[in-house]
Amino acid sequence: MATIIGLGSGACNIAKAFLSYPQYEVYLLDTEHIPHKNFKLIKEQKSHMDYEDSFPNINNFLSAAAGPFTVVICGGGTISGGILRLLEQLREKKDKINLLYIKPDRDLLSDVRQKQDKVVF
């Protein structure tokens, strides 16, 4: 069984599309509650850097998850600052990790969000 992990609201919406396929286990990480058995609430932070600095340990949350893993991330969101901490924790599981990066239309992003997208990309 493969595991899909969505980080942030846009990525969680994409990850939820995999719920109708039994071969995927879906985990959702966001700052707003999503009614799903594999959901973890991430405390909202003020900046991209704050998400990286305070990203929680999710090893217990993902203890039943098995690889390979596909992490879905949208680059323009502030929560995407936690992606490296998430990937570090997944790396400890010693399974293959795929990254599905959703690149936003930079023309529609504010200057701050454009910079966040560049950092995540």
Side-chain angles (χ1 to χ4, degrees), residues 57-60 69 84-97:
N57 183 319
I58 58 168
N59 287 324
N60 286 339
F69 297 98
L84 289 180
R85 299 294 172 242
L86 172 60
L87 293 174
E88 285 174 345
Q89 293 176 50
L90 286 176
R91 182 181 62 195
E92 294 172 7
K93 290 186 160 286
K94 308 274 191 245
D95 284 308
K96 183 177 180 181
I97 302 170

Side-chain angles (χ1 to χ4, degrees), residues 104-121:
D105 185 349
R106 286 192 177 150
D107 294 336
L108 301 176
L109 298 177
S110 67
D111 289 340
V112 171
R113 296 225 184 242
Q114 284 182 26
K115 290 175 185 171
Q116 290 171 350
D117 175 59
K118 285 180 185 179
V119 168
V120 174
F121 184 74

Side-chain angles (χ1 to χ4, degrees), residues 15-80:
K16 286 190 291 187
F18 289 88
L19 288 172
S20 60
Y21 301 99
Q23 66 267 36
Y24 297 109
E25 188 71 28
V26 177
Y27 289 80
L28 307 172
L29 305 161
D30 198 8
T31 58
E32 294 182 21
H33 182 65
I34 299 171
H36 179 23
K37 66 177 182 169
N38 294 329
F39 169 76
K40 172 124 177 108
L41 185 66
I42 304 295
K43 183 179 177 193
E44 191 167 353
Q45 303 295 325
K46 292 181 181 181
S47 71
H48 207 238
M49 187 76 138
D50 290 342
Y51 278 104
E52 181 176 11
D53 292 340
S54 66
F55 198 80
N57 183 319
I58 58 168
N59 287 324
N60 286 339
F61 174 65
L62 294 175
S63 63
F69 297 98
T70 299
V71 179
V72 183
I73 181 105
C74 298
T78 307
I79 195 172
S80 65

